[in-house]
Amino acid sequence: MTTTLQEQPTAADPLAAAARRRRRENTRRNVVSVFKHIGLVALSLVMIYPLIWLVVSSFKPNSEIFRDLTIFPEQLTTENYTYGWTSQQLPFSVFLINSTILVVGAIIGNLISCSLAAYAFARLRFWGRNMFFAIMLGTIMLPFHVVLVPQFIIFRELGWLETFLPLVVPKFLATEAFFVFLMVQFIRALPKEIFEAARIDGAGQFRIYAQVTLPLMVPALATTTIFTFIWTWGDFFGPLIYLRTRENWTVSVALKGFVDAQSTSNYGAMFAMSVVSLIPLFLAFLVGQRWLIRGFATTGIK
């Protein structure tokens, strides 16, 4: 008589199988992560290549800039920077100062006017509030070129041409609907109990706005500051229309002066001064990126 002995499965077998599955899943995730990061790095290099080429070309002689589009120059020179700084009949620092004046005025105007308008839409109750808010949001879809001619006529009649007023004064009138909407979303996310407690303590609306709302709106205000800086510093169309004399040129208009369709264009000097003009933008984003991310995260805008 033959007896067949069958091995009974032990308790360690399911645990070992689960451990093997976890190792296979971890290996698969690691492989996918490696290929994902390789793809992201390759895509980043493709996107940053124009910037690298711009910086390298600013050190090349004009004869070599477009002859070879690689980032490995045969020779380097700093003549583009020295020539570009003084070739516009005025030092390039004048154009940097003009752009700084516009940026500071635009930032102050947007912070004051947009925060006041946002507080009114978010916390005050008045007739037609929803209707006016919808109209304000509708202006975001309105192309700038639609109101260009009427605005130019108004500013000409006011005698504001060849001054910074047409580019700064509208910022004090809450004309940037995007920033108003950004701040409205932020204020609505704040606890109502804070404002009710301030009213119980006898604070008026302006005191609640100045001493309660503004300190809590730092992320939204920082986001507004960064975007206003970037958009105003790089604006070309507005200064081109209202600032025609060389003494009032901004950086973006001054860069156009290096390119002439009827004579020789100095691309090396233009690239050199473009690099100089990008430094403030890079520093502003580097310093404010933490507040920029926090501002978007807390307002619910993805």
Side-chain angles (χ1 to χ4, degrees):
M1 183 175 181
T2 304
T3 304
T4 303
L5 298 178
Q6 297 179 354
E7 295 182 358
Q8 298 295 329
T10 62
D13 291 339
L15 296 178
R20 287 193 295 269
R21 285 196 300 269
R22 285 196 297 269
R23 285 196 295 268
R24 286 195 297 267
E25 291 177 358
N26 292 335
T27 302
R28 183 178 59 83
R29 283 197 295 265
N30 292 334
V31 172
V32 172
S33 178
V34 168
F35 281 102
K36 183 188 297 184
H37 283 82
I38 292 175
L40 291 174
V41 170
L43 183 61
S44 300
L45 293 176
V46 172
M47 295 181 63
I48 203 174
Y49 173 79
L51 179 60
I52 298 176
W53 182 83
L54 172 68
V55 176
V56 173
S57 298
S58 66
F59 292 97
K60 289 183 179 180
N62 278 292
S63 58
E64 297 184 7
I65 291 179
F66 298 105
R67 189 178 64 182
D68 188 3
L69 298 182
T70 62
I71 59 175
F72 303 102
E74 297 179 0
Q75 58 178 334
L76 298 177
T77 178
T78 59
E79 293 180 359
N80 293 329
Y81 286 87
T82 56
Y83 178 79
W85 191 268
T86 58
S87 63
Q88 294 284 354
Q89 301 179 7
L90 293 171
F92 201 79
S93 58
V94 174
F95 311 130
L96 292 174
I97 293 174
N98 292 338
S99 293
T100 303
I101 294 174
L102 285 181
V103 165
V104 172
I107 290 175
I108 296 175
N110 279 339
L111 291 180
I112 295 175
S113 62
C114 293
S115 61
L116 284 170
Y119 178 80
F121 282 125
R123 290 303 173 193
L124 300 184
R125 296 184 178 275
F126 54 90
W127 180 87
R129 182 183 66 171
N130 295 333
M131 178 185 66
F132 290 127
F133 187 69
I135 294 174
M136 182 207 68
L137 293 180
T139 60
I140 299 178
M141 299 178 288
L142 189 66
F144 171 74
H145 305 83
V146 174
V147 297
L148 176 62
V149 174
Q151 284 183 351
F152 183 85
I153 295 175
I154 292 174
F155 294 143
R156 184 189 61 185
E157 295 299 322
L158 293 174
W160 287 3
L161 299 184
E162 298 299 337
T163 66
F164 296 150
L165 295 178
L167 302 173
V168 175
V169 172
K171 306 298 182 182
F172 286 85
L173 302 177
T175 56
E176 298 288 348
F178 172 76
F179 297 134
V180 177
F181 174 73
L182 181 77
M183 295 182 186
V184 167
Q185 296 299 104
F186 188 91
I187 296 175
R188 287 177 177 175
L190 297 176
K192 295 182 180 180
E193 291 78 10
I194 298 177
F195 303 95
E196 293 175 356
R199 281 193 292 269
I200 292 175
D201 290 339
Q205 293 295 347
F206 186 79
R207 187 176 179 182
I208 295 175
Y209 159 78
Q211 298 184 2
V212 178
T213 308
L214 285 184
L216 298 175
M217 287 177 58
V218 172
L221 296 176
T223 303
T224 301
T225 300
I226 296 171
F227 272 107
T228 301
F229 181 90
I230 294 174
W231 292 347
T232 306
W233 187 271
D235 184 23
F236 172 75
F237 198 56
L240 180 65
I241 295 174
Y242 298 112
L243 305 175
R244 298 182 181 180
T245 58
R246 192 178 298 269
E247 292 78 8
N248 294 328
W249 279 4
T250 59
V251 169
S252 56
V253 180
L255 291 176
K256 179 183 176 297
F258 292 105
V259 180
D260 194 339
Q262 299 179 353
S263 62
T264 304
S265 299
N266 195 325
Y267 290 102
M270 183 183 68
F271 291 160
M273 293 301 99
S274 297
V275 173
V276 173
S277 65
L278 286 176
I279 294 176
L281 295 176
F282 176 76
L283 294 177
F285 184 80
L286 185 65
V287 173
Q289 62 176 340
R290 178 170 61 92
W291 294 104
L292 185 65
I293 296 173
R294 183 182 300 181
F296 276 110
T298 52
T299 51
I301 300 178
K302 306 299 182 185

